[in-house]
Amino acid sequence: MALTETELMNQYHNRHLTAFIIVLNSLKANESISCYGMIDRIKKIVTEDSPYSDEMINSLIEEACKNNILVEERKKYFRKIPEESILLPMTLQEKIYLKNILKSPYALLFLDLPVIQEILQKLSDVPEMDFSRMIDFTGVSKELEFDEAYIKNFRLLMQAVQEHRKINFVNVDAQGNEILNKERIPFKIEYSVIMRCFWLSLWNQTGKRPFKANISRISDIQLLDKISDEEYQTVMNMMEQKKELHPIVMIITDRNSAIERINLMFSMYHKKTERIADDKIKISLSYYNFDENEIIDGIMSFGTAVQVLAPERVVEKIKEKLTAEIIVQ
Amino acid sequence: MPEKGRNIMLTNDTGISIIKRLFYYGCYSEKDALELEGLKRFDRYKNFLQYAFGDHLEEITLETSGEKALHFRTDEFEMPFNILLDIYTMTNISSTEFILFLKLMNFFTGKNQKKQFTSVQIYTNIDVINSGKYVSDRTFQRKLQELADYGYLTSEGKGKFLYSKPESILNALDESSIYRLTALTDFCRNIYHPAVCGHYLMDTLSVINQQKSISYDTLFLCKHLHMGQVLEDEKLWKLLTAIHEKKTISLHYKGILYQHLQPHKIIINETDGRRYVFCIILGNGRNGGILYRLGNILEITIEKKKKEIPLTLIAEEEADRIYHDLFDKSFTGTCSLKKKLQTGTLIYKKNFYYEIQKHFPEATPEPEDELHDKIHIEVNSLTEMKPWLRKNLGKVRLTNTSDSTAEELEQELKEWRAMYGIDGN
């Protein structure tokens, strides 16, 4: 069958079906589960407050019993062949995608070359549909090249984030000074689609503030002890408190599709939008302080189509830019 | 099955527009409902949207107008992109399909893994009962073929099917490699298009992770994502397959039907999030190129070969040449050359050279004064440079333009300052 006749949407990729299989696979030999137990486990995998879940799962259990996948005994359910796991096979689209990401420059950050080659070998009968030849990106920085030291650092940092471990490291600031950072708590690895580079998002326990470090400027990483779940949660809560109390409030006039463009640009941020006239909307955008300058740059690119009303600090920053030395008149 | 919604939402333009409003604007209000659905009820899809977005969806009253609205509450730390991708796992699936799928996966587990079966043999072995009735063998055969088309089963010809085992690809990997492959997929599904394919792969890996007792929580945050792109993935997939299989397409664009187009390249502008397809127009004696924005395409059809229209596709190298001739001098990469190149001079602070070099790597800087250098530029359109010039106000200035762009920017700056109460003097 030609690829062109396949559709991307696939009803078998259903969140309840996947959750149902996961729960079935988790049942050990002779382990029984009640209907409520099943619902509970599935709901932990899918959304907790799904209004359809109970009814749907009941109907699934009923059909699974009729079809001998589950056996019912006094309102308890057993797997018919508990020793075998049901695995979801990959669709053709998934295999094509997997082949593409394994050939991407990012694959080496995660997997060793022999592993990549081994999987690619097993995908050799999958069509060579090379996305990188068919898709061009504009408005982005040059793709990074990762050397051995970068890959080693990246993997150490992934481990630190995964295991909630504190780290010591050295980073070089914008002025070229080497700074020793002690006992920082890594939170996530952050990637910018436009700048095509990775940062480590961290929490500085001493200064009680979040900060970011460009991974290409990090060296001498030492993994320290794991932090407790309670301590990690406390850090997360403190991070949340670093959100600016006052959102950026701005009026957008729909000139050159400014309304669509600004909403697309800021679609990752938490915001409320209200239409206040046929050609005007008001946006209240909540943000973290460390993103402020970047947001202001984005706003500036719209010129007079966007007017910031609040907070005063942001208005002042824009005024500063507008009155900055006008070069070479 | 009571699960409703995704097909309704994602297969009609109104549904997609509602989701777009929620994700782009954060709100879907009574006014929006009137505009998109012709009625003031903003909560028609509330149940489905609540099912899809859980705690992220709330009902609010807007400050200025007092209108009621649905509001998508998110945070960049929560990766809203993945929440949107989840919509693609909310299919309308009938109990027949659900159980058939489950029974087949169950049947091919264990001792039947490596064997081939005809559809009749499978049918005999796994009587599929739907609401107390056996599913007919014709329906069964159709469903098997559908599963084979998706790639879940391998069709071996003569009505025989083989289970397409995931473990045949991943069985040699140890737990650490599975974990890392999951992390790679999780990262890539946010940045590699089409993201929906990556999300599906992540779904499949989640079952393998569970089976191997691997626990994975996302390690990543992604910045500068344009979430609405996901809703164009269906079109993107169709275009990619047409490019790959060298097929022509027709498309409905802004109310006009365009036929006999040879899709050649997808262009994604990551600064503004817009995606385009570059096509060669065939059949009029001269091969020209044109760019269509995916967001404005209503429908794409892959054309079947017709004897009465013998179209000859042009070679990839020739299509590449046309593409480069049209777009190489575009500042954003998405504005084609009209008649002739426009020119101007960029004067910039010396420490801004890194940014200048990124856009004009071949230009030779000349000194302007002690603090500034300048370069002369040639671009398809000076207008498309405006957002970049505004963003970098004070660091770079455009002057001596071959059209009125420099004067327009000067005039705009005056109005801009007045908007913030800054004295023009």
Side-chain angles (χ1 to χ4, degrees), chain B residues 172-209:
Chain B
L173 301 187
D174 58 17
E175 283 172 14
S176 157
S177 297
I178 295 271
Y179 180 89
R180 289 178 189 193
L181 180 67
T182 308
L184 171 68
T185 309
D186 180 34
F187 168 68
C188 285
R189 70 177 161 158
N190 283 286
I191 64 156
Y192 255 70
H193 309 254
V196 174
C197 292
H199 197 60
Y200 282 166
L201 180 60
M202 197 66 193
D203 207 35
T204 305
L205 287 169
S206 73
V207 178
I208 297 172
N209 276 324

Side-chain angles (χ1 to χ4, degrees), chain B residues 254-268:
Chain B
K254 294 183 174 175
I256 300 169
L257 174 68
Y258 295 88
Q259 290 177 300
H260 316 319
L261 302 169
Q262 175 184 343
H264 175 62
K265 211 173 259 298
I266 305 291
I267 296 131
I268 300 178

Side-chain angles (χ1 to χ4, degrees), chain A residues 18-242:
Chain A
T18 310
F20 196 70
I21 290 175
I22 288 177
V23 174
L24 283 183
N25 286 344
S26 71
L27 292 179
K28 296 182 186 80
N30 300 323
E31 184 187 349
S32 65
I33 189 165
S34 68
C35 191
Y36 291 118
M38 183 83 90
I39 290 172
D40 206 42
R41 284 206 211 171
I42 290 177
K43 282 171 91 172
K44 274 188 184 138
I45 299 165
V46 298
T47 178
E48 290 271 351
D49 54 359
S50 155
Y52 296 123
S53 283
D54 291 16
E55 200 185 330
M56 166 177 282
I57 298 161
N58 271 321
S59 145
L60 268 182
I61 294 171
E62 199 182 304
E63 294 290 342
C65 286
K66 275 186 204 157
N67 286 281
N68 293 327
I69 293 165
L70 283 174
V71 179
E72 193 221 327
E73 263 177 40
R74 280 174 287 172
K75 303 266 179 198
K76 294 270 185 185
Y77 300 91
F78 298 85
R79 259 297 295 284
K80 187 77 189 282
I81 323 170
E83 69 276 13
E84 297 287 352
S85 289
I86 299 172
L87 288 179
L88 278 177
M90 284 182 206
T91 60
L92 195 53
Q93 285 107 330
E94 287 170 64
K95 287 178 191 165
I96 289 170
Y97 191 83
L98 178 59
K99 207 167 173 172
N100 270 280
I101 62 173
L102 286 171
K103 286 182 176 177
S104 77
Y106 301 102
L108 277 170
L109 289 174
F110 297 82
L111 295 160
D112 295 333
L113 190 59
V115 177
I116 295 172
Q117 286 168 336
E118 193 179 337
I119 308 174
L120 284 174
Q121 173 62 33
K122 286 179 175 162
L123 292 166
S124 56
D125 59 340
V126 174
E128 289 294 335
M129 197 169 154
D130 183 355
F131 296 159
S132 68
R133 271 188 55 236
M134 294 189 262
I135 303 176
D136 269 8
F137 292 95
T138 70
V140 292
S141 298
K142 215 176 133 195
E143 197 103 44
L144 273 181
E145 282 174 20
F146 307 110
D147 60 16
E148 253 178 64
Y150 193 101
I151 292 169
K152 190 180 161 209
N153 283 345
F154 189 87
R155 291 188 183 179
L156 271 175
L157 295 172
M158 272 206 302
Q159 189 186 345
V161 173
Q162 178 198 349
E163 295 174 359
H164 296 176
R165 287 168 74 158
K166 287 184 183 176
I167 53 169
N168 290 344
F169 65 96
V170 172
N171 79 310
V172 181
D173 70 10
Q175 284 71 43
N177 307 311
E178 282 198 351
I179 298 161
L180 174 64
N181 289 273
K182 281 191 166 181
E183 300 205 356
R184 302 296 188 246
I185 300 171
F187 168 60
K188 295 274 181 198
I189 292 172
E190 187 177 303
Y191 178 79
S192 161
V193 172
I194 293 175
M195 296 165 89
R196 301 220 155 167
C197 64
F198 290 96
W199 281 277
L200 184 65
S201 186
L202 303 118
W203 180 258
N204 176 345
Q205 190 69 319
T206 325
K208 302 274 183 245
R209 63 181 179 91
F211 74 107
K212 288 180 200 174
N214 189 327
I215 292 183
S216 64
R217 294 176 172 207
I218 290 179
S219 60
D220 303 319
I221 303 165
Q222 278 180 286
L223 262 56
L224 308 172
D225 296 339
K226 285 184 183 185
I227 61 167
S228 67
D229 288 349
E230 292 77 32
E231 196 181 349
Y232 189 76
Q233 198 47 53
T234 310
V235 169
M236 291 304 101
N237 294 343
M238 283 196 281
M239 191 90 98
E240 176 66 23
Q241 285 162 16
K242 291 290 169 187

